[in-house]
Amino acid sequence: MTPDRPDHTPEESENGVLSDTGSLETAGFGILNGATAQVSVEMPSGSDDDLVDDDVIGDEVPFVVEIPADTAQAEIVETAAGAEDWTVEDEAADWEPIEDIADADEVFEETEVIAAPDGTPAAAASAPASSFDDITAPAAAAPAAAATAVPAPAPATRPAAQSEAADRPQAVERAGYPRPDVTLTSKRLGEFEADRETADLLTADRLLDPHHIVRSEPEGYWQHLVYSISGRRINLGDGKRARARKELDRRIAAPLAGGARFVPVVSRKGGVGKTTVTTLLGMALADARDDRVIAVDANPDRGTLAERIARSSGKTVRDLVRIRGEVVGFNDLSGIVARDETRLDVVASDSDPRVSEAFSDSDYRDVAGLAAHYYSIVLTDTGTGIVHSVMEATLELADQLVIVAGLSVDEARLASETLTWLETNGHAAKVRNAIVVLNNSRPGTPLVQLEELESHFRTRVRGVVRMPYDAHIAAGSAIVFRDLHPETRLAARELAASVVEGLRSVPSASAA
């Protein structure tokens, strides 16, 4: 029993000190069908300010009940309105929610005892409307089980209806909610918002400061001289000729969309330089482009295209037709073709004089199918027979036509008649997009007026290119592109640029 303190002040009642303890010495705990245990209670002293609960309302008294360490963890939630939530937690194994709850005997005021699920009473507690701190029950009072002590309110503040509702607590199970699956989606460049930029906009021209970029060494006599004298500090840029050459390279190397492109070189008269123009065009394309270029000798008679390059494979187009079903990769095809130093691949025609027809339309289609699978541009050196079956298959797959005309009256007139025949036989659109090459295969000044001849063909085709005379070509031997006269190389490159521009303006005929 705690005696009265004669020196207390009126403010001490707010700190939990009772002015009149009455005869409170012990508290009794009632257990269902069991013995009653007595627990000593010590009242807090006036210096225990750290134990004061600032949330005490009215005559409600907070207290803590310590349960033995081997009991389970439980949580009871009262569903009645205005009921207080009491939770007793202890670190123990998992437990099952309490389903059957028995009512306890009321020993001192209104105290509720929750029995274990198996009906065995776990603990009992009663508390007066006084200030309690700690109440410790002996461990032998009941076996280890989940127990919860619910404080009963004072009779003046808690109605009987709330007490009956408190007898039906609900066990709360703590369960984690499953995380929804995250679906990863990809967007195309056109599906982004209008105000958002994609990674392809981060180019070097946009991000790099032009003042800090090291420019390449200029090309040109005076430009390079100033660059060297100034200790590489003054860079005037490339000269006019170097800029023109790089611009021509850019035009030739322009990418081609779609499948392989077929460019036949046509002439109805032999000896005008059709095979020479095919070789020069192929070398100019292969020298400037990164993709593969091949030239096929589709002359039904004895062709000489393979003799215009320095290297020979010893194989002909007949060998390619024979192994067409065995070709599974480019290595199988590279053993048939001959490659020039400019990376131009050439398929020679059959030179066996005992073969009456070295090449047919079906053979050409087989070769064209293989070439289209491994090459971007396929050049075809046709024969002089425009009504031959090979010419029919060639014109059917053609994307761009190149017509070769000689610098004489009869050769020029025959070239113009070739255009007329093509227009009347369903190839008018290809004629309007064609290119005419005025090839000078004889030394000296031509006898015809080139300006008049060029103006005539420009009314019928898209472009006209003049190919000058070159002694290196007139010899009839293998052509080395770097050994050609500068005007001849420039004319071949202009022809290649015009062909690429024409191919870029029309869809691929083979894909259609």
Side-chain angles (χ1 to χ4, degrees), residues 145-359:
T148 301
V150 180
T157 58
R158 296 299 179 94
Q162 295 183 1
S163 177
E164 294 178 359
D167 293 340
R168 298 186 299 273
Q170 298 178 357
V172 178
E173 181 180 358
R174 300 182 182 272
Y177 293 94
R179 299 179 60 185
D181 296 336
V182 179
T183 304
L184 300 179
T185 59
S186 59
K187 289 186 177 182
R188 299 181 181 274
L189 295 181
E191 297 178 358
F192 284 94
E193 290 77 1
D195 57 343
R196 295 181 60 188
E197 295 185 354
T198 56
D200 57 337
L201 298 179
L202 299 178
T203 60
D205 296 337
R206 177 183 178 184
L207 300 180
L208 298 180
D209 188 357
H211 299 87
H212 297 154
I213 299 177
V214 179
R215 300 175 61 184
S216 59
E217 186 174 343
E219 297 185 22
Y221 178 76
W222 292 108
Q223 289 80 0
H224 191 273
L225 179 62
V226 173
Y227 183 74
S228 301
I229 294 177
S230 63
R232 300 187 175 185
R233 290 190 297 269
I234 301 178
N235 192 336
L236 301 178
D238 297 330
K240 182 178 179 180
R241 184 175 300 178
R243 292 196 302 270
R245 189 191 75 250
K246 292 181 179 180
E247 175 61 21
L248 191 57
D249 288 337
R250 186 193 62 80
R251 293 170 55 194
I252 300 174
L256 297 175
R261 302 304 183 96
F262 290 84
V263 181
V265 181
V266 181
S267 176
R268 294 184 63 184
K269 188 178 187 306
V272 297
K274 176 173 52 60
T275 301
T276 300
V277 171
T278 304
T279 306
L280 295 178
L281 175 59
M283 290 181 175
L285 288 171
D287 185 60
R289 297 185 62 85
D290 295 331
D291 48 11
R292 300 186 183 127
V293 181
I294 188 173
V296 180
D297 194 342
N299 195 333
D301 302 325
R302 172 67 163 82
T304 60
L305 179 62
E307 299 176 1
R308 305 301 274 174
I309 63 175
R311 303 172 186 176
S312 176
S313 64
K315 305 290 183 178
T316 65
V317 67
R318 182 65 60 185
D319 298 321
L320 183 58
V321 173
R322 187 179 300 112
I323 68 167
R324 65 183 182 276
E326 304 175 2
V327 177
V328 295
F330 182 74
N331 291 335
D332 300 330
L333 191 63
S334 61
I336 302 297
V337 301
R339 173 162 291 191
D340 181 68
E341 63 179 4
T342 60
R343 300 184 306 108
L344 171 66
D345 291 347
V346 175
V347 180
S349 66
D350 201 337
S351 59
D352 190 354
R354 296 171 295 181
V355 179
S356 59
E357 187 177 26
F359 212 51

Side-chain angles (χ1 to χ4, degrees), residues 341-493:
E341 63 179 4
T342 60
R343 300 184 306 108
L344 171 66
D345 291 347
V346 175
V347 180
S349 66
D350 201 337
S351 59
D352 190 354
R354 296 171 295 181
V355 179
S356 59
E357 187 177 26
F359 212 51
S360 63
D361 56 344
S362 60
D363 294 337
Y364 178 78
R365 294 181 187 277
D366 294 337
V367 173
L370 288 175
H373 190 71
Y374 299 102
Y375 294 89
S376 298
I377 299 178
V378 181
L379 305 178
T380 304
D381 183 12
T382 62
T384 56
I386 197 171
V387 294
H388 197 275
S389 61
V390 177
M391 182 64 69
E392 180 181 355
T394 302
L395 294 176
E396 181 181 346
L397 297 176
D399 297 292
Q400 172 84 66
L401 294 177
V402 176
I403 312 298
V404 181
L407 299 185
S408 65
V409 176
D410 58 341
E411 293 173 346
R413 184 182 291 114
L414 191 58
S416 182
E417 292 176 357
T418 302
L419 297 177
T420 303
W421 184 91
L422 291 173
E423 290 174 346
T424 57
N425 285 272
H427 303 287
K430 296 179 180 179
V431 170
R432 289 191 297 269
N433 196 40
I435 298 176
V436 172
V437 179
L438 302 178
N439 183 40
N440 186 8
S441 58
R442 302 179 183 87
T445 304
L447 298 178
V448 297
Q449 301 181 16
L450 294 179
E451 290 77 9
E452 292 294 332
L453 189 60
E454 182 175 346
S455 62
H456 167 75
F457 283 110
R458 286 190 180 278
T459 61
R460 309 193 62 182
V461 297
R462 181 173 58 88
V464 178
V465 177
R466 298 184 185 182
M467 190 66 64
Y469 172 81
D470 195 307
H472 181 69
I473 299 175
S477 59
I479 298 175
V480 181
F481 193 69
R482 65 174 183 272
D483 294 341
L484 295 174
H485 198 272
E487 285 77 6
T488 306
R489 288 201 306 271
L490 180 60
R493 288 164 53 83

Side-chain angles (χ1 to χ4, degrees), residues 30-56:
I31 302 178
L32 297 177
N33 299 328
T36 302
Q38 293 184 354
V39 181
S40 299
V41 178
E42 295 181 1
M43 300 303 297
S45 61
S47 60
D48 295 335
D49 295 337
D50 54 340
L51 300 178
V52 176
D53 191 351
D54 296 334
D55 296 331
V56 176

Side-chain angles (χ1 to χ4, degrees), residues 29-31 65 67-68 104 112-116 120-125 137 141-143 146-149:
F29 287 81
I31 302 178
V65 179
I67 305 300
E112 298 175 5
V113 178
I114 307 302
T120 304
T148 301

